[in-house]
Amino acid sequence: MRLSGDDRTAIQDLVSRYNMAHDTDDVEGWLDTFTEDATFITGRSRREGHEELREFFLHGGERLPNVRHITYNSVFESIEGASDRVLMHSDLLVFRADDPPVLVLTRRYHDTLRRDGGEWRFERREITAD
């Protein structure tokens, strides 16, 4: 499937909403970027569905104050036979917004996106160190 310009814009908006919600501790906004049956994988941890994702967001580890997530270098892959799903691989930088900014970590996202109710959402999101 070749993504339209509108789909690419909608997916970029999804990524931006995810980052902004994460950085402002907006759990509901963050959850809205995932399908109800989403899977979220970080390292050896796997969460499925909104309730497990909510628990992870609220209590899953140390929350660093004043951070900014920057997602870039997004590359899309088609899923054969799927008109409402696409794979996306992206790089991630997380900075603490100090003066000067401090790099906290770099990671890579491996995502499956699904059009859900007319909106693109994360069906599966995996964060890796590769």
Side-chain angles (χ1 to χ4, degrees):
M1 168 182 92
R2 182 171 167 82
L3 286 175
S4 70
D6 287 344
D7 285 331
R8 286 178 180 272
T9 299
I11 290 169
Q12 180 58 52
D13 181 65
L14 170 72
V15 170
S16 296
R17 287 186 298 111
Y18 172 95
N19 288 345
M20 292 292 286
H22 192 287
D23 293 347
T24 60
D25 292 325
D26 176 6
V27 65
E28 295 305 320
W30 187 77
L31 285 172
D32 189 51
T33 66
F34 291 94
T35 62
E36 286 287 333
D37 60 347
T39 300
F40 187 61
I41 302 166
T42 59
R44 288 181 253 179
S45 170
R46 180 184 187 102
R47 272 59 174 210
E48 296 186 16
H50 273 202
E51 288 311 308
E52 287 186 18
L53 291 175
R54 179 188 312 280
E55 182 66 22
F56 172 74
F57 187 94
L58 295 173
H59 309 290
E62 180 184 355
R63 304 281 298 179
L64 298 174
N66 204 28
V67 296
R68 303 292 184 272
H69 286 68
I70 301 168
T71 306
Y72 63 103
N73 288 343
S74 297
V75 176
F76 297 95
E77 291 180 44
S78 296
I79 298 174
E80 191 167 330
S83 62
D84 61 346
R85 294 172 71 226
V86 67
L87 301 177
M88 181 175 71
H89 307 282
S90 306
D91 290 321
L92 168 68
L93 295 174
V94 178
F95 285 91
R96 201 172 57 237
D98 294 341
D99 188 15
V102 175
L103 178 63
V104 175
L105 64 85
T106 64
R107 294 289 185 267
R108 184 156 287 152
Y109 286 121
H110 303 282
D111 300 314
T112 303
L113 304 169
R114 183 173 83 209
R115 196 184 325 259
D116 180 48
E119 302 287 329
W120 286 101
R121 289 190 168 85
F122 297 108
E123 177 181 65
R124 182 179 187 279
R125 177 152 251 214
E126 182 174 5
I127 302 172
T128 64
D130 67 336

